[in-house]
Amino acid sequence: MNQGLLLRFENLVQLRGACQQLRALSSRKVCGARWTPVELSAHPMGSLPLHPQLWPKHRLISAALAQCRHLATKEETKKKKKKIPLTKGEVEIRQKMTVEELAQAMGKDIDHIYEVLLYTNINLDSVEPDSILSEDHIKMIVQKSGMKYKSAKLKEEKERKNTDAVKRPPADPAVLTPRPPVVTILGHVDHGKTTLLDSLRKTQVAAMEAGGITQHIGAFIVHMPSGEKITFLDTPGHAAFSAMRARGTNVTDIVILVVAAEDGVMQQTIESIQHAKNAGVPLILAINKCDKPEADPERVKKELLAHDVVCEEFGGDVQAVNISALKGENLMVLAEATVALAEMLELKADATGLVEGTIIESRKDKGKGPLTTAIIQRGTLRKGCVLVAGKTWAKVRFLFDENGKAVDAASPGIPVEIMGWKECPSAGDEILEVESEQRAQEVVAWRAYVEQQEKMKKDLEVIEAKQKEHRLEYEKQQQKLAHLTWRQRKAVLYKASKHLMFSRPKERTEMDENTLSLIVKGDVDGSVEAILNILDSYDCEDECKLDIVYFGMGDISENDISLAEAFNGVIFGFSVKANESIKKLADKKGIKIKLHNIIYKLIEDLKDELNSRLPPTVVETTVGEASVLDTFSVTVGKNKIPVAGCRVHKGLLDRKMKFKLIRNRDVIWKGCLSSLKHHKDDVQIIKTGMDCGLSLDKNLEFSIGDEIICYEEKEVQQTTSWDPGF
């Protein structure tokens, strides 16, 4: 055989063996393993001589090791990329991170962030885990922690499309139809507003009102003998329900101002006049209780002149009717005046298309769920309509009139109670009908989004203002430490602020004894609103802190008990109930439940509860007074005891009580007597006009003319200086 072919064949065989070794090394990942040549199988042509000079052994080993290193490095790099996507010590940051979010991104605890913040101009008292940090502070915290930062790739948020529901354009005059007038009865408390409405409706609503006063907005229809309908709104007259009266005038066409003939113009009378002026609605004056001997209608009319309410007989445009709501006198004259004024106003509305209205009141019913009383202003409301109001919506399941009777529809000017709300809307919210449930959810989501954006904007403004304030304080502090080196400055700042970090509360463990935590429950939204408005006027935080933990509508529940237990609070309920199981649970846990049906009694009870939280004050009551006429000393053992010869000129001296020594109008000693003697006898009491000798402290010298006062200390309960205005 040709020698050249044999050499080529031998080279190919050796190359095959080298490749097998490389594959074996690569699969075992053993880069430093010794390479050994493989034994070649016998060739059919016989034993062939090898030629190592063509494939030196050291060259084959080097080639195999290089190939192994190359393969191992590539594979390890892939694994590293999978396990550690970011460079070690690198933190991904973004704008408006909270303390807690930054701690999680850094893999640290919150206390580490607080410790780093000690070296900044941030006031730690205002920093909480959910506080938002500025971008500069975020970068500084990361750097001082020995780490690097990289900005997160932020998704550009597209401008959200406005999906809110709005009122329809004004209706074509051709489709307008007459509607009943909405009349609001306003006036001072106990001037006879509800009694007037009772007489018009021939009902006994006033007798059912707690304490004889109206505490909710009542909406009723009164049918006149002539066939006309009038929708009446009866609003509370008590000072606490000002917001309810304002809502009543915002949906009304005519205001009937009720003034008692014997009382004249009062505080809520003036407020009612202002509400009517703000709403721009005409007034009719009803002078009530004219059957009483002390009634003086002319005085009422003259008093109203000072408030720009000018009756027709004085050249004005306000009709005045003298009535007696209790006896039913001249009520038809008042009703006819109302109908005549309504005809002059030519009240019309569009009864077609999507519904528009206003919520007068909202409440929770145990069996029916959230309910709202509303006045329909446009369209005709029927079962199945989808409504939105505020941040909730409803698919109308049932409609009820003022007597609780189910009705099929409600046209403009008609009050109606609506059932089917997902949650209770707020009184005063605007009702708008939408095409579908999906559309209602879009509207509610948009309104919640807008509210969230507004809240974030306000929070950011507060944060920026606080940061600016703290920056100025920090600059002033730096100026004071300007003479120190930077290490000395950091040491001083750390020592001065170190206690803040360690005293930071991790959780709320116990409440301050001088804090009253409240859970407020009411039957309707307006009642809760009135109570909260009163609590907003609380201005005695230095005496006792007032903390409103929760407020809502409905009867007292187990959740309210749990909240009161957690915050050591008191539950106040207005026109709501607590069943026996709830009362037993409250007694077991030591929780107070205060239930009231009259608002001023609730406020009085609240003031008593505040007073009970105030620490008692010690009052000194003077029992007797004596003057020092002479001084001398007596020897007792080896000690000389100073003694004062005194005469009691007022009250008595009782050895059991406390004494004080007054010299030149300054109290120089307080304590108990060591001895009290009359002549040479030890006595317990010295009365007015008697002489005595007494000793106080062995080191205390008396002077002629000193005053000795005997007094008694008593603990007296403090009372809050808060005045809610009624």
Side-chain angles (χ1 to χ4, degrees):
M1 185 177 289
N2 191 339
Q3 186 69 23
L5 290 173
L6 288 173
L7 288 173
R8 289 181 184 177
F9 183 71
E10 185 179 341
N11 291 341
L12 289 172
V13 171
Q14 290 192 6
L15 181 62
R16 177 175 174 271
C19 290
Q20 288 177 346
Q21 290 281 9
L22 290 173
R23 281 197 297 271
L25 288 170
S26 178
S27 63
R28 290 199 305 269
K29 305 177 187 177
V30 182
C31 299
R34 186 176 179 183
W35 187 85
T36 55
V38 294
E39 293 185 5
L40 302 177
S41 58
H43 196 274
M45 294 182 65
S47 180
L48 297 175
L50 299 178
H51 295 271
Q53 68 274 13
L54 297 176
W55 289 89
K57 186 175 181 180
H58 66 276
R59 287 177 61 189
L60 290 172
I61 293 173
S62 299
L65 289 174
Q67 180 70 12
C68 179
R69 281 196 298 270
H70 174 71
L71 294 172
T73 304
K74 191 174 180 181
E75 194 164 345
E76 286 175 5
T77 303
K78 286 182 181 178
K79 285 201 170 185
K80 283 181 181 178
K81 284 184 178 178
K82 288 180 183 177
K83 289 183 179 178
I84 310 172
L86 296 176
T87 307
K88 187 177 180 182
E90 194 172 46
V91 181
E92 193 176 77
I93 65 170
R94 64 179 188 279
Q95 292 181 346
K96 299 179 182 179
M97 290 182 79
T98 64
V99 173
E100 190 172 9
E101 289 170 348
L102 180 58
Q104 290 176 356
M106 294 174 63
K108 305 284 186 179
D109 57 11
I110 293 177
D111 285 339
H112 173 81
I113 307 298
Y114 290 141
E115 188 171 356
V116 179
L117 289 175
L118 289 172
Y119 298 98
T120 68
N121 59 341
I122 295 179
N123 183 4
L124 288 183
D125 290 334
S126 62
V127 179
E128 296 295 336
D130 58 350
S131 298
I132 298 174
L133 298 169
S134 67
E135 189 175 1
D136 292 339
H137 287 134
I138 292 171
K139 291 178 180 179
M140 184 275 299
I141 291 168
V142 174
Q143 288 176 335
K144 283 192 177 293
S145 301
M147 307 171 83
K148 296 180 181 179
Y149 61 84
K150 62 176 285 187
S151 298
K153 293 181 179 179
L154 299 176
K155 295 180 180 178
E156 293 185 4
E157 188 176 352
K158 295 181 179 178
E159 188 175 349
R160 192 162 177 174
K161 185 181 178 182
N162 189 335
T163 57
D164 200 3
V166 295
K167 285 186 175 181
R168 291 182 286 155
D172 185 354
V175 301
L176 298 180
T177 56
R179 66 168 177 83
V182 179
V183 180
T184 300
I185 299 179
L186 298 178
H188 192 73
V189 62
D190 199 31
H191 275 202
K193 299 183 301 298
T194 306
T195 306
L196 168 61
L197 199 60
D198 295 345
S199 298
L200 288 169
R201 300 200 315 154
K202 299 294 189 292
T203 59
Q204 293 297 318
V205 176
M208 295 184 289
E209 292 285 359
I213 59 173
T214 301
Q215 302 180 109
H216 307 122
I217 290 182
F220 312 95
I221 295 179
V222 173
H223 297 268
M224 305 301 295
S226 55
E228 290 92 349
K229 294 179 182 178
I230 303 176
T231 297
F232 280 99
L233 300 182
D234 179 24
T235 62
H238 198 276
F241 298 97
S242 177
M244 285 190 180
R245 291 192 290 277
R247 275 200 300 278
T249 55
N250 287 337
V251 297
T252 195
D253 304 308
I254 300 169
V255 167
I256 294 180
L257 182 64
V258 179
V259 184
E262 83 278 21
D263 289 340
V265 176
M266 305 291 281
Q267 181 61 40
Q268 273 70 61
T269 310
I270 300 169
E271 184 193 285
S272 300
I273 294 169
Q274 192 60 47
H275 285 319
K277 287 181 179 178
N278 293 340
V281 294
L283 274 172
I284 295 176
L285 177 62
I287 304 176
N288 194 21
K289 303 184 182 181
C290 288
D291 55 313
K292 291 192 173 183
E294 62 272 21
D296 189 355
E298 294 303 316
R299 179 174 66 89
V300 173
K301 296 175 186 178
K302 290 176 183 177
E303 287 179 354
L304 289 171
L305 290 173
H307 305 285
D308 296 329
V309 177
V310 185
C311 298
E312 289 178 340
E313 59 191 82
F314 295 141
D317 56 356
V318 176
Q319 298 181 73
V321 182
N322 297 342
I323 64 169
S324 172
L326 190 62
K327 294 186 176 180
E329 296 175 0
N330 284 344
L331 295 188
M332 283 301 102
V333 176
L334 178 63
E336 289 168 4
T338 305
V339 172
L341 183 56
E343 290 176 354
M344 290 175 58
L345 296 174
E346 295 182 351
L347 301 172
K348 294 182 179 181
D350 177 13
T352 62
L354 298 177
V355 172
E356 297 174 7
T358 301
I359 292 177
I360 299 299
E361 195 54 271
S362 65
R363 64 186 179 93
K364 283 185 178 179
D365 186 273
K366 201 168 185 179
K368 299 176 182 177
L371 294 172
T372 61
T373 301
I375 296 288
I376 305 305
Q377 294 162 319
R378 189 174 181 182
T380 301
L381 182 62
R382 294 182 174 86
K383 287 193 290 184
C385 289
V386 180
L387 309 175
V388 291
K391 295 189 292 298
T392 186
W393 63 281
K395 185 172 183 181
V396 179
R397 295 172 58 194
F398 291 100
L399 299 173
F400 304 98
D401 62 12
E402 70 269 22
N403 298 315
K405 183 181 177 182
V407 294
D408 295 327
S411 55
I414 302 297
V416 66
E417 195 168 48
I418 304 169
M419 176 180 169
W421 295 96
K422 302 300 177 184
E423 295 176 4
C424 272
S426 298
D429 282 350
E430 181 183 68
I431 293 177
L432 295 174
E433 183 183 0
V434 293
E435 298 80 5
S436 63
E437 295 183 28
Q438 182 179 358
R439 174 74 180 116
Q441 291 170 358
E442 285 180 0
V443 173
V444 171
W446 168 259
R447 292 179 178 180
Y449 169 75
V450 170
E451 185 182 49
Q452 182 186 19
Q453 294 300 309
E454 290 176 354
K455 183 178 181 299
M456 286 178 61
K457 186 178 178 181
K458 290 179 181 177
D459 290 347
L460 192 59
E461 289 175 355
V462 173
I463 290 168
E464 289 175 351
K466 283 284 186 185
Q467 287 179 344
K468 185 178 179 181
E469 180 184 342
H470 296 153
R471 192 176 297 112
L472 292 173
E473 291 179 3
Y474 177 73
E475 289 172 357
K476 290 179 181 178
Q477 194 174 28
Q478 289 296 315
Q479 289 175 1
K480 294 178 181 178
L481 305 175
H483 62 285
L484 301 175
T485 65
W486 72 271
R487 288 183 182 276
Q488 290 172 334
R489 284 200 300 269
K490 296 301 181 185
V492 170
L493 290 172
Y494 181 80
K495 288 178 181 178
S497 306
K498 189 177 180 180
H499 69 282
L500 294 174
M501 180 182 67
F502 296 106
S503 63
R504 177 169 298 279
K506 297 295 188 298
E507 58 184 357
R508 189 171 191 168
T509 55
E510 60 181 8
M511 292 295 297
D512 187 357
E513 292 182 0
N514 206 27
T515 298
L516 175 59
S517 298
L518 292 181
I519 291 91
V520 179
K521 298 296 288 289
D523 55 342
V524 296
D525 183 67
S527 299
V528 177
E529 178 189 28
I531 295 169
L532 294 179
N533 286 341
I534 295 170
L535 296 180
D536 282 343
S537 69
Y538 184 73
D539 55 358
C540 299
E541 293 288 337
D542 55 333
E543 298 175 357
C544 180
K545 293 180 181 178
L546 194 61
D547 183 18
I548 302 172
V549 176
Y550 174 78
F551 60 87
M553 292 176 287
D555 291 339
I556 310 300
S557 64
E558 287 188 19
N559 184 49
D560 301 325
I561 301 294
S562 300
L563 280 173
E565 183 184 21
F567 288 90
N568 190 26
V570 180
I571 301 172
F572 278 83
F574 181 77
S575 296
V576 295
K577 298 177 182 177
N579 58 40
E580 288 302 319
S581 62
I582 293 295
K583 289 180 180 178
K584 288 179 181 178
L585 181 63
D587 291 339
K588 183 179 178 181
K589 296 187 175 184
I591 305 300
K592 294 180 184 177
I593 299 178
K594 309 285 186 109
L595 302 178
H596 295 278
N597 292 324
I598 301 174
I599 195 162
Y600 61 79
K601 289 188 177 180
L602 182 146
I603 300 304
E604 288 175 0
D605 199 351
L606 175 60
K607 289 181 73 173
D608 292 340
E609 193 65 37
L610 285 167
N611 293 338
S612 68
R613 300 295 174 109
L614 298 179
T617 183
V618 177
V619 177
E620 294 181 359
T621 305
T622 300
V623 177
E625 298 176 5
S627 56
V628 178
L629 303 179
D630 197 3
T631 63
F632 53 94
S633 61
V634 296
T635 302
V636 178
K638 295 182 180 181
N639 298 323
K640 286 189 176 182
I641 306 299
V643 177
C646 304
R647 178 172 294 165
V648 180
H649 54 80
K650 186 178 180 180
L652 56 85
L653 304 185
D654 189 341
R655 187 172 177 176
K656 291 181 180 179
M657 296 185 182
K658 292 188 176 181
F659 289 78
K660 55 186 173 182
L661 178 63
I662 299 176
R663 183 176 297 160
N664 298 326
R665 298 183 180 180
D666 294 328
V667 178
I668 62 173
W669 178 86
K670 277 188 175 184
C672 298
L673 293 182
S674 297
S675 66
L676 179 64
K677 293 189 176 185
H678 179 60
H679 299 303
K680 293 184 179 181
D681 301 326
D682 288 328
V683 293
Q684 187 68 36
I685 295 175
I686 299 293
K687 297 181 180 179
T688 304
M690 297 176 65
D691 294 333
C692 65
L694 57 84
S695 61
L696 304 177
D697 190 284
K698 65 180 181 179
N699 298 319
L700 185 64
E701 296 290 340
F702 294 100
S703 296
I704 296 173
D706 287 348
E707 292 288 328
I708 305 292
I709 305 295
C710 175
Y711 66 94
E712 182 182 16
E713 288 184 344
K714 288 184 179 179
E715 286 191 349
V716 178
Q717 182 61 51
Q718 294 187 64
T719 57
T720 178
S721 57
W722 175 47
D723 182 12
F726 58 88

